């Protein structure tokens, strides 16, 4: 028990005879009745200094108000004993000051606001909750220091936000759903330097652990933790904290250094309703933010990161080194959104690993992001609800991305009948200030049963450069497909030729073989053909001509072509042309040729076309050839 609480309890419980003499040698609490006020001291009657009244605890003025001495106004370590000395119970009952009839045995019925303010200076009206007035008064008492609340199991009821700015605030509870700070009336939960006008920000951190911030009823406009820092500050640490029924769980500005672990938040609003974002990091000069093992449920954007001008700094002051690992977002409009109000700056170094995402309009919306890395995770489309719909949406959007990776992800519509624009869009500059650069989409699993992609599952636009797409699997109704479906890719190439679309596993072989009996003289004839899926292929073949019945060949032509019954001009497409006299069998090898069908949306036929000019008899023709996938 702190000195102040011991004194307060003694004062509140004391009767008129409290100041009577005690046995000598026994430390005693004594009230000095001199003057217009009565003051409480702790002193020893055996003191050699008879005029030394010891340690002052406080005084009652002529109005009966209790004044805390200056020496006790900066209690920084506040436990439940201290709180209960002011009347805190933690039983979850909302007690307005006007409804409190006694405080630790002292009658308080009919107390005026000024009497309450003498004990709890933060009180602003008799309608304030006792719990809030206690907590806020103790925060205010430490104007420029560290304030630490250590709470046991229980529920505190507040009608206003707890506010701190010049203090380093720590609130440590007893565990999830054990320690609850419950708010009524749609007010914010905890505010750090939220001032109007926006002045007087500090660099003090906040530390929250093992507790729950809870709005009594969902469907409000409140924010659970709302803070603004001087750009470049260290925000603090959040560990094992739950935030429930707030319109927006957390919004913090211009503070980096966040260490967030086991943060769970739920809006309490049905999906598709009017709701804010879950975790919203805004501003600039934000560096090193690590979020692990956390979940946002039922918000517009589960995780929203926005580089913006703030507190005199331009947006280009930076937002860098953000990690979101082993975390989740469910029943939201989008799981992750990354953007910058300055479209000429892309916030750098984003690492999203093993994300569990269920969304109605988007997975990761990277409007502006430098060095974005998305590894693993499960990404599930949700059917349209309310105003949220995936129609026309691009689920992984790479806008002004300088370097990007999407790898080892499981992406699925769960076989639901849905229409989207694309699973993955590598975008033109458009509204993003720049196009996607150097993005690799590798080794992902795309499930598409009953899915309509109006562009394609993977869509590369013209201005996107340095794109690499390879080793992806396409699954239709839980059945792996040996080849990508017709709507797998929409590939708009450009003059840089820096893009590479690997449609399936390199090395795949398709046979190119056939035969024709009695080929007409001087007539281009399809000897063989093969239908090749989209990709890049190299094709090669021999051609065999066999004169019969005295036929004499004077001209031989052959080549590979994508047009039926047409011999290409030499030296294109591996073609040959020879003149001479051949009365016996002739064999010629065509030069191999590469066909680039990576931008195709359906299979393309390749023909081996032969032509023989001859006289007399007839000529039979056959071949042996193959096409090998390069990518």
């Amino acid at each position: 028990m702190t000195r102040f609480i011991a004194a307060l309890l003694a004062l509140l419980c004391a009767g008129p005879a409290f100041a009577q003499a005690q046995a000598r040698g026994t430390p005693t609490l004594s009230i000095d009745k001199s003057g217009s006020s009565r003051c409480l001291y702790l002193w020893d009657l055996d003191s050699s200094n008879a005029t030394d009244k010891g340690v002052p605890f406080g005084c009652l003025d002529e109005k009966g108000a209790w004044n805390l001495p200056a020496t006790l106004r900066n209690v920084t370590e506040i436990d439940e004993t201290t709180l209960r000395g002011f009347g805190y119970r933690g039983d979850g009952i909302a007690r307005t000051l006007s409804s409190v009839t006694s405080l630790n045995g002292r009658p308080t019925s009919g107390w005026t606001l000024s009497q309450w303010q003498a004990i709890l200076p933060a009180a602003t009206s008799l309608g304030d909750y006792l719990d809030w007035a206690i907590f806020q008064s103790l925060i205010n008492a430490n104007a420029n220091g560290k304030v630490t609340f250590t709470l046991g199991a229980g529920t505190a009821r507040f009608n206003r936000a707890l506010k701190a700015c010049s203090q380093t605030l720590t609130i440590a509870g007893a565990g999830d759903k054990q320690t609850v700070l419950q708010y009524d009336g749609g007010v914010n939960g905890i505010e750090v330097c939220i001032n109007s006008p926006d002045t007087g920000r500090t660099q003090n951190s906040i530390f929250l652990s093992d507790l729950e911030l809870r709005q009594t009823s969902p469907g409000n406009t409140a924010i659970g933790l709302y803070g603004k820092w001087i750009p470049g500050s260290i925000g603090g640490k959040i560990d094992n904290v739950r935030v429930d029924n707030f319109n927006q769980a957390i919004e913090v500005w211009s503070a980096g250094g966040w260490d967030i672990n086991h943060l769970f938040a739920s809006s309490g609003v049905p999906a598709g309703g009017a709701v804010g974002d879950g975790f919203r990091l805004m501003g600039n000069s934000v560096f090193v933010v690590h979020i692990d093992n956390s979940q946002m449920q039922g918000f517009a954007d589960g995780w929203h990161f926005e580089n913006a001008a703030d507190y005199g700094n331009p947006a280009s002051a930076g937002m860098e080194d953000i990690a979101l690992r082993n975390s989740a977002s469910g029943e939201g409009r989008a799981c992750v959104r990354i953007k910058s109000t300055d479209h000429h700056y892309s916030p750098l170094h984003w690492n999203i690993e093993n994300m569990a995402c269920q969304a109605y309009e988007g997975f990761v919306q990277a409007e502006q992001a430098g060095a974005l890395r998305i590894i693993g995770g499960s990404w599930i489309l949700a059917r349209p609800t309310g105003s949220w719909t995936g129609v026309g949406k691009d689920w992984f959007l790479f806008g002004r991305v300088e370097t990007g990776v999407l790898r080892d992800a499981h992406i699925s519509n769960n076989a639901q009948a849905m229409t989207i624009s694309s699973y993955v869009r590598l975008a033109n500059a458009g509204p993003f200030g720049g196009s996607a650069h150097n993005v690799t989409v590798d080794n992902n699993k795309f499930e598409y049963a009953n899915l309509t992609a109006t562009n394609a599952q993977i869509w590369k636009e013209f201005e996107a450069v340095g794109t690499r797409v390879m080793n992806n699997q396409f699954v239709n109704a839980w059945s792996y497909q040996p080849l990508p479906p017709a709507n797998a890719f929409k590939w708009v190439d450009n003059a840089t030729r820096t893009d590479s679309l690997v449609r399936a596993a390199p090395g795949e072989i398709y046979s190119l073989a056939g035969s024709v009996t009695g080929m007409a003289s001087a007539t281009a004839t399809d000897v063989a053909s093969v239908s090749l899926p989209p990709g890049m292929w190299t094709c090669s073949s021999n051609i065999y001509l066999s004169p019969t019945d005295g036929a004499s060949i004077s001209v031989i032509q052959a080549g590979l072509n994508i047009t039926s019954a047409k011999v290409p001009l030499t030296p294109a497409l591996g073609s040959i042309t020879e003149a001479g006299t051949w009365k016996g069998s002739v064999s010629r090898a065509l030069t191999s040729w590469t066909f680039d069908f990576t931008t195709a949306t359906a299979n393309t036929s390749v023909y081996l076309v032969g032509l023989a000019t001859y006289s007399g008899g007839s000529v039979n023709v056959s071949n042996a050839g193959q096409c090998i996938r390069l990518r």
Side-chain angles (χ1 to χ4, degrees):
M1 183 180 296
T2 67
R3 293 183 300 164
F4 167 61
I5 297 308
L8 179 62
L9 293 176
L11 175 67
L12 295 176
C13 297
F18 177 76
Q20 67 185 9
Q22 305 292 312
R24 292 185 63 81
T26 303
T28 185
L29 292 171
S30 178
I31 294 180
D32 179 8
K33 299 181 180 180
S34 61
S36 60
S37 63
R38 295 187 298 169
C39 297
L40 182 65
Y41 294 85
L42 178 66
W43 60 300
D44 190 342
L45 293 177
D46 284 337
S47 173
S48 59
N49 185 353
T51 62
D52 180 10
K53 290 187 170 68
V55 180
F57 274 91
C59 301
L60 286 172
D61 62 21
E62 64 274 9
K63 296 180 181 180
W66 173 257
N67 293 300
L68 191 66
T71 55
L72 295 178
R73 290 177 186 167
N74 294 313
V75 180
T76 61
E77 302 290 335
I78 303 164
D79 57 15
E80 285 215 11
T81 303
T82 303
L83 293 170
R84 291 182 186 278
F86 286 96
Y88 171 74
R89 300 183 189 180
D91 56 6
I93 297 176
R95 296 179 176 86
T96 61
L97 296 179
S98 62
S99 70
V100 178
T101 58
S102 66
L103 187 64
N104 291 325
R106 180 179 182 181
T108 57
S109 181
W111 268 23
T112 64
L113 178 60
S114 62
Q115 286 176 297
W116 278 112
Q117 288 173 331
I119 298 175
L120 303 172
T124 61
S125 77
L126 292 177
D128 285 337
Y129 289 3
L130 177 62
D131 288 353
W132 174 83
I134 294 169
F135 277 72
Q136 191 62 60
S137 294
L138 290 168
I139 294 172
N140 293 352
N142 294 271
N144 293 287
K146 178 180 179 181
V147 185
T148 299
F149 292 91
T150 303
L151 307 176
T155 300
R157 290 291 289 271
F158 301 142
N159 68 308
R160 300 181 188 273
L162 291 180
K163 297 186 177 184
C165 190
S166 60
Q167 306 89 347
T168 296
L169 178 63
T170 299
I171 306 178
D176 179 27
K177 293 190 177 296
Q178 297 297 308
T179 302
V180 179
L181 307 185
Q182 183 171 339
Y183 297 82
D184 294 338
V187 299
N188 292 339
I190 298 173
E191 295 182 358
V192 178
C193 294
I194 301 302
N195 305 310
S196 182
D198 185 10
T199 58
R201 296 191 196 179
T202 67
Q203 292 182 307
N204 294 302
S205 303
I206 186 169
F207 301 89
L208 304 176
S209 62
D210 299 311
L211 56 87
E212 178 184 1
L213 305 180
R214 179 194 299 165
Q215 262 290 339
T216 301
S217 301
N220 48 71
T221 59
I223 304 172
L225 169 61
Y226 185 22
K228 294 186 176 183
W229 280 262
I230 294 174
S233 301
I234 297 176
K237 184 173 183 177
I238 300 174
D239 186 22
N240 195 30
V241 170
R242 186 178 295 273
V243 183
D244 286 333
N245 296 339
F246 286 88
N247 177 68
Q248 192 160 289
I250 291 178
E251 181 174 326
V252 289
W253 283 73
S254 297
W258 287 102
D259 182 1
I260 298 174
N261 193 25
H262 293 104
L263 168 64
F264 293 87
S266 173
S267 69
V269 175
V275 68
D277 299 328
F279 181 90
R280 191 175 177 91
L281 177 62
M282 306 284 290
N284 60 76
S285 301
V286 175
F287 307 99
V288 191
V289 175
H290 292 173
I291 303 168
D292 296 274
N293 310 307
S294 298
Q295 176 179 336
M296 298 291 119
Q297 190 76 13
F299 294 98
D301 292 343
W303 304 91
H304 182 109
F305 305 93
E306 184 170 343
N307 182 237
D310 182 45
Y311 214 63
N313 275 9
S316 57
M319 179 179 286
E320 300 180 9
D321 189 11
I322 315 295
L324 181 60
R325 297 173 296 216
N326 302 316
S327 295
S329 176
E331 296 185 344
R333 183 181 62 192
C335 291
V336 181
R337 189 178 305 273
I338 304 169
K339 62 185 299 185
S340 175
T341 56
D342 181 351
H343 288 183
H344 300 291
Y345 171 78
S346 292
L348 296 174
H349 305 304
W350 299 87
N351 189 27
I352 302 172
E353 292 185 13
N354 298 325
M355 184 84 177
C357 167
Q358 181 210 31
Y360 292 88
E361 293 191 2
F363 297 143
V364 177
Q365 301 292 289
E367 299 180 25
Q368 294 85 25
L372 170 63
R373 183 172 177 266
I374 306 169
I375 304 296
S378 180
W379 308 84
I380 309 299
L381 279 68
R383 291 180 62 84
T385 183
S387 61
W388 294 350
T389 174
V391 175
K393 302 300 191 301
D394 303 296
W395 290 74
F396 284 102
L397 170 64
F398 291 85
R400 189 183 189 273
V401 175
E402 300 303 318
T403 302
V405 173
L406 173 61
R407 178 178 291 132
D408 301 333
H410 172 213
I411 303 160
S412 177
N413 64 324
N414 271 350
Q416 303 174 99
M418 301 177 67
T419 299
I420 65 173
S421 170
S422 70
Y423 271 144
V424 180
R425 178 186 174 191
L426 310 162
N428 287 335
F432 311 119
S435 61
H437 283 61
N438 304 313
V439 177
T440 297
V441 182
D442 177 28
N443 201 42
N444 301 288
K445 176 183 177 183
F446 294 91
E447 294 183 352
Y448 63 93
N450 302 316
L451 179 72
T452 299
T454 55
N455 278 294
Q457 294 187 49
I458 300 176
W459 174 24
K460 190 202 85 69
E461 294 190 270
F462 176 79
E463 295 174 13
V465 296
T467 306
R468 299 290 184 272
V469 177
M470 64 191 77
N471 305 322
N472 297 289
Q473 297 176 329
F474 294 87
V475 180
N476 185 10
W478 299 280
S479 175
Y480 286 89
Q481 304 300 299
L483 300 173
N487 71 343
F489 306 104
K490 182 177 181 180
W491 199 266
V492 185
D493 219 333
N494 55 59
T496 65
R497 306 298 297 171
T498 58
D499 303 303
S500 174
L501 172 57
V502 180
R503 305 289 299 235
E508 185 179 8
I509 298 176
Y510 275 54
S511 175
L512 175 64
S515 64
V516 176
T517 300
M519 179 173 63
S521 176
T523 302
T525 303
D526 293 335
V527 179
S529 66
V530 61
S531 179
L532 297 177
M536 184 171 286
W537 300 83
T538 181
C539 297
S540 60
S541 181
N542 290 343
I543 187 168
Y544 304 93
L545 296 100
S546 300
T548 62
D549 299 330
S552 177
I553 302 174
S554 59
V555 177
I556 299 172
Q557 288 182 276
L560 302 167
N561 207 346
I562 57 174
T563 302
S564 174
K566 182 176 181 180
V567 178
L569 298 175
T570 57
L573 301 174
S575 60
I576 60 169
T577 298
E578 294 185 28
T581 301
W582 296 273
K583 295 184 179 181
S585 296
V586 181
S587 175
R588 292 291 183 266
L590 279 65
T591 303
S592 62
W593 195 261
T594 298
F595 294 90
D596 186 354
F597 301 140
T598 53
T599 61
T601 59
N603 285 13
T604 304
S605 293
V606 172
Y607 302 91
L608 172 64
V609 183
L611 179 149
T613 301
Y614 64 91
S615 59
S618 63
V619 174
N620 300 328
V621 61
S622 62
N623 81 300
Q626 64 183 13
C627 294
I628 302 174
R629 181 187 288 277
L630 299 179
R631 64 173 188 256

